[in-house]
């Protein structure tokens, strides 16, 4: 009777109909034993073939499905293994190994709740089973990591999500959902090669996986390859028309590209105010697109420098660098703005960073120039002392000298307090010192080029100038 129940003929070969039920069962057992032998040798592909032959002979034998499920699990074919395990327990609800394997398949595929139910059934059958007690703990851990990951994603703590998914995948190695969430967060963290690798692994197994296509597109989008990204988003939407994330990313990608191109067009046409506004609008489209936003900040800084908004330009460059610390163009733009605002120490720091990264002749020249300007800025500014610009003519320098000398001459302040007299005398000496350098073509040239004037034996303290009225008039020749 058992042989009849277990070995009813289903779509059998005509030759097999000649075999009795006992013979069918005996032949099926032979296939099972051969399958077991290959399983022990870890030749799981052959083991699978023989267990399948046994099932063909006796399609209602629970242990055959259980064995084939075990083989499929070793081949990491968990979905097929799950089907065989479920068929095994349908045929025999007291088949402990069937419930255990079903639970393991559920857990490997990331369904921890279903896994827990299977493991509880095993405990009903074998209360002291230590293996299933550990599996239950694993399932509980996966549920907890899922919960923590959900909270982390809401808080935009993507590192926490990656950590939780890594821990969950230790028990749920075949869960595409966990892998996709990890890959998405890696992309949001700017770790694009890692995210691409995870998505590509899934697509190799399932080329129509809409989530993996979305992540591939997301990586390209965040790497500023917008046209290619849109292709992946469109493909994901073909596979899953209701994929909200792919639809939103596709819309953002198209809007960002259009707005950026409008800004570039306005800049090339010299319409700097319009370009500034367009880049600002583009920056509001997607705060997560780090690379593109870094470029937009740098572009807006370039426009800002054209509009003489130098402090805002410096701020935009700083934001660009914060988003992308390797963005050389942003360092160069900020350094030039620092030069234009005479913040030479900051300029030198940026040019040093650039030169350390890319040792080109041009970058070396920029650094040397900034270092020279820094050195010059630490000396007395004789042009400022006389109140003239650096392009002043010889006559303008003489006129300025006379005016400042009269203004600060000690005789003019003879009735002032001792403190004020001392201050005015100091300024008077500085005026004479400035004039002695700027009125001498050779010294002026050396001064303008940043060379040390002490090399000429000149006393830069101004002690060669007396403060008395006679010497003052002597200075006019």
């Amino acid at each position: 009777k058992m042989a009849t129940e277990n070995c009813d003929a289903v779509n059998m070969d005509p030759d097999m109909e000649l075999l009795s039920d006992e013979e069918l069962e005996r032949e099926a057992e032979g296939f099972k034993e051969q399958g077991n032998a290959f399983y022990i040798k870890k030749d799981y592909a052959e083991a699978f073939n023989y267990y399948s032959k046994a099932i063909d002979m006796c399609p209602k034998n629970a242990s055959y499905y259980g064995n084939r499920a075990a083989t499929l699990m070793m081949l990491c074919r968990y979905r097929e293994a799950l089907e065989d395990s479920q068929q095994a327990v349908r045929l025999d609800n007291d088949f402990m190994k069937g419930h255990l394997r079903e639970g393991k398949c559920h857990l490997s595929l990331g369904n921890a709740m279903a896994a827990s139910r299977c493991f509880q059934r095993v405990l009903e059958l074998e209360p002291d089973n230590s293996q299933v007690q550990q599996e239950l703990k694993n399932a509980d851990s996966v549920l907890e990591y899922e919960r923590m990951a959900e909270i982390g994603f809401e808080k935009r703590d993507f590192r926490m999500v990656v950590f939780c998914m890594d821990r969950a995948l230790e028990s749920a190695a075949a869960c595409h959902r966990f892998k996709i969430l990890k890959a998405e967060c890696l992309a949001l963290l700017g770790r694009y090669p890692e995210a691409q690798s995870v998505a590509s692994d899934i697509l190799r197994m399932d080329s129509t996986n809409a989530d993996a296509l979305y992540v591939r597109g997301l990586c390209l989008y965040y790497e500023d390859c917008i046209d290619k990204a849109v292709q992946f988003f469109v493909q994901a939407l073909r596979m899953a028309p209701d994929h909200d994330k792919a639809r939103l990313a596709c819309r953002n990608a198209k809007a960002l590209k259009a707005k950026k191109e409008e800004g570039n067009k306005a800049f090339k046409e010299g319409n700097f105010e319009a370009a500034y506004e367009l880049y600002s609008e583009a920056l509001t489209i997607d705060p997560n697109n780090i690379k593109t936003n870094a470029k937009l900040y740098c572009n807006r800084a370039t426009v800002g420098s054209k509009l003489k908004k130098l402090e805002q330009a410096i701020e935009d460059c700083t934001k660009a660098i914060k988003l992308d610390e390797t963005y050389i163009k942003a360092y160069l733009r900020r350094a030039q703005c620092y030069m234009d605002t005479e913040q030479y120490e900051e300029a030198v720091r940026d040019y040093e960073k650039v030169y350390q990264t890319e040792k080109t002749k041009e970058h070396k020249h920029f650094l040397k120039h900034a270092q020279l300007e820094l050195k010059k800025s630490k000396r007395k500014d004789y042009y400022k002392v006389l109140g003239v610009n650096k392009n002043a003519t010889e006559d303008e320098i003489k006129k300025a000298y006379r005016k400042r000398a009269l203004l600060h001459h000690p005789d003019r302040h003879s009735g002032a307090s001792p403190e004020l007299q001392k201050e005015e005398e100091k300024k008077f000496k500085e005026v004479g010192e400035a004039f002695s350098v700027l009125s001498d073509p050779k010294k002026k040239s050396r001064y303008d080029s940043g060379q040390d004037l002490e090399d000429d034996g000149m006393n830069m303290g101004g002690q060669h100038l007396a403060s008395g009225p006679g010497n003052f008039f002597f200075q006019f020749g």
Side-chain angles (χ1 to χ4, degrees):
K1 182 179 180 183
M2 185 181 295
T4 303
E5 287 178 352
N6 288 343
C7 299
D8 288 344
V10 179
N11 296 326
M12 283 189 177
D13 187 280
D15 295 333
M16 293 175 66
E17 291 178 5
L18 302 174
L19 299 174
S20 66
D21 291 339
E22 289 80 4
E23 288 173 323
L24 286 173
E25 186 179 62
R26 192 161 51 249
E27 191 163 345
E29 279 294 307
F31 286 137
K32 186 194 82 169
E33 292 303 324
Q34 285 178 281
N36 290 348
F38 282 113
Y39 188 93
I40 292 169
K41 293 177 183 176
K42 298 185 179 180
D43 188 345
Y44 301 118
E46 278 302 305
F48 171 82
N49 290 334
Y50 279 98
Y51 289 140
S52 296
K53 288 179 181 180
I55 288 170
D56 289 339
M57 289 287 183
C58 294
K60 292 187 178 179
N61 187 307
S63 68
Y64 296 168
Y65 286 99
N67 286 8
R68 191 168 73 172
T71 304
L72 287 165
M73 289 170 70
M74 298 307 294
L75 292 168
C76 297
R77 292 159 60 180
Y78 292 102
R79 293 193 184 281
E80 297 169 78
L82 177 62
E83 292 174 9
D84 274 359
S85 300
Q86 289 172 330
Q87 179 63 13
V89 297
R90 275 195 292 269
L91 292 169
D92 181 2
N93 193 39
D94 292 335
F95 184 29
M96 186 278 294
K97 287 185 178 179
H99 288 292
L100 180 60
R101 286 168 186 153
E102 182 187 359
K104 285 184 174 182
C105 288
H106 277 307
L107 188 57
S108 293
L109 293 167
N111 192 346
M113 291 286 286
S116 293
R117 288 194 292 270
C118 294
F119 296 145
Q120 289 292 351
R121 175 60 181 154
V122 174
L123 284 177
E124 290 173 12
L125 297 169
E126 290 188 8
D128 297 329
N129 189 311
S130 58
Q131 181 186 0
V132 81
Q133 289 170 357
Q134 181 57 49
E135 293 292 352
L136 262 174
K137 289 179 182 178
N138 293 342
D140 290 341
S141 295
V142 169
L143 286 170
E144 179 61 16
Y145 285 127
E146 274 193 86
R147 187 189 68 80
M148 290 169 62
E150 186 177 347
I151 294 170
F153 197 88
E154 288 176 2
K155 293 181 177 179
R156 300 183 63 79
D157 187 352
F158 302 126
R159 284 185 177 80
M160 172 58 76
V161 179
V162 171
F163 171 82
C164 290
M165 290 300 92
D166 278 337
R167 299 290 80 74
L169 284 164
E170 290 174 2
S171 297
C175 181
H176 286 181
R177 183 164 49 90
F178 293 170
K179 290 178 181 179
I180 288 295
L181 181 56
K182 174 186 173 180
E184 183 178 3
C185 290
L186 286 169
L188 291 166
L189 289 168
R191 293 160 63 178
Y192 308 120
E194 294 172 77
Q196 290 266 31
S197 177
V198 174
S200 296
D201 285 345
I202 293 172
L203 289 170
R204 272 193 288 273
M205 293 181 280
D206 178 9
S207 62
T208 64
N209 189 298
D211 291 325
L213 290 167
Y214 159 70
V215 170
R216 283 290 303 275
L218 197 65
C219 291
L220 291 165
Y221 170 52
Y222 286 155
E223 289 182 293
D224 203 31
C225 301
I226 292 180
D227 290 333
K228 287 184 179 179
V230 168
Q231 292 174 10
F232 275 96
F233 294 144
V234 170
Q235 196 175 347
L237 288 167
R238 282 202 201 101
M239 299 299 117
D242 296 329
H243 201 297
D244 292 335
K245 288 183 177 180
R247 184 178 294 105
L248 176 62
C250 191
R251 186 165 63 241
N252 284 347
K254 290 177 178 178
L256 196 56
K257 182 188 176 187
K259 194 66 71 175
K260 183 182 175 186
E261 287 177 351
E262 285 181 58
N264 293 346
K265 185 172 181 287
F267 179 80
K268 288 175 183 176
E269 292 172 353
N271 192 349
F272 301 133
E273 290 286 356
Y276 194 91
E277 289 303 316
L278 287 163
Y279 289 139
S280 299
E281 290 171 20
L283 281 163
T284 65
I285 292 173
D286 186 0
N288 291 325
N289 196 321
I290 294 170
K291 207 155 193 173
T292 302
N293 286 345
K295 291 180 179 180
L296 287 168
Y297 275 122
C298 193
N299 286 2
R300 193 170 73 174
T302 302
V303 178
S305 65
K306 294 283 186 183
L307 295 170
K308 304 303 179 186
K309 298 178 179 179
L310 294 174
E311 290 301 327
Q312 289 178 6
I314 289 170
E315 187 178 334
D316 276 347
C317 288
T318 301
K319 288 178 180 176
I321 290 165
K322 189 175 180 182
L323 292 175
D324 183 359
E325 292 182 354
T326 66
Y327 195 10
I328 295 297
K329 190 175 178 181
Y331 283 105
L332 288 169
R333 171 59 55 194
R334 187 171 70 176
Q336 184 57 55
C337 290
Y338 280 140
M339 293 292 287
D340 293 340
T341 53
E342 298 184 0
Q343 299 179 64
Y344 299 120
E345 287 188 9
E346 291 82 355
V348 167
R349 186 179 63 239
D350 277 353
Y351 282 133
E352 283 177 341
K353 172 74 174 177
V354 169
Y355 187 63
Q356 286 169 6
T357 307
E358 294 182 0
K359 289 183 167 61
T360 67
K361 287 183 179 179
E362 184 182 28
H363 294 161
K364 186 176 182 180
H365 170 73
F366 288 151
L367 176 57
K368 291 291 184 184
H369 179 60
Q371 289 171 334
L372 177 61
E373 291 301 319
L374 174 60
K375 180 181 176 182
K376 287 161 67 175
S377 72
K378 292 183 180 297
R379 308 171 309 173
K380 289 179 184 176
D381 188 340
Y382 291 144
Y383 290 101
K384 192 176 288 185
V385 169
L386 294 183
V388 295
N389 63 47
K390 293 179 180 179
N391 297 318
T393 64
E394 187 178 345
D395 284 342
E396 287 172 337
I397 290 171
K398 284 181 180 179
K399 287 178 183 177
Y401 168 60
R402 292 190 185 105
K403 183 178 178 182
R404 291 295 173 107
L406 285 169
L407 181 65
H408 299 297
H409 194 276
D411 288 353
R412 184 168 183 160
H413 303 282
S414 57
S417 66
E419 291 81 8
L420 183 58
Q421 284 185 27
K422 189 174 181 180
E423 182 64 28
E424 290 299 325
E425 183 177 353
K426 180 183 176 184
K427 289 180 180 178
F428 177 69
K429 287 182 177 181
E430 284 181 348
V431 168
E433 185 180 313
F435 181 68
S436 71
V437 172
L438 299 183
S439 62
D440 184 318
K442 184 179 178 183
K443 290 177 183 175
K444 182 177 184 295
S445 175
R446 289 174 65 80
Y447 175 78
D448 288 342
S449 65
Q451 296 180 55
D452 293 327
L453 298 179
E454 285 84 349
D455 294 346
D456 285 343
M458 176 182 175
N459 187 333
M460 295 305 293
Q463 293 177 5
H464 63 296
L465 297 172
S467 61
N471 282 313
F472 163 64
F473 289 109
F474 175 77
Q475 286 297 315
F476 287 109

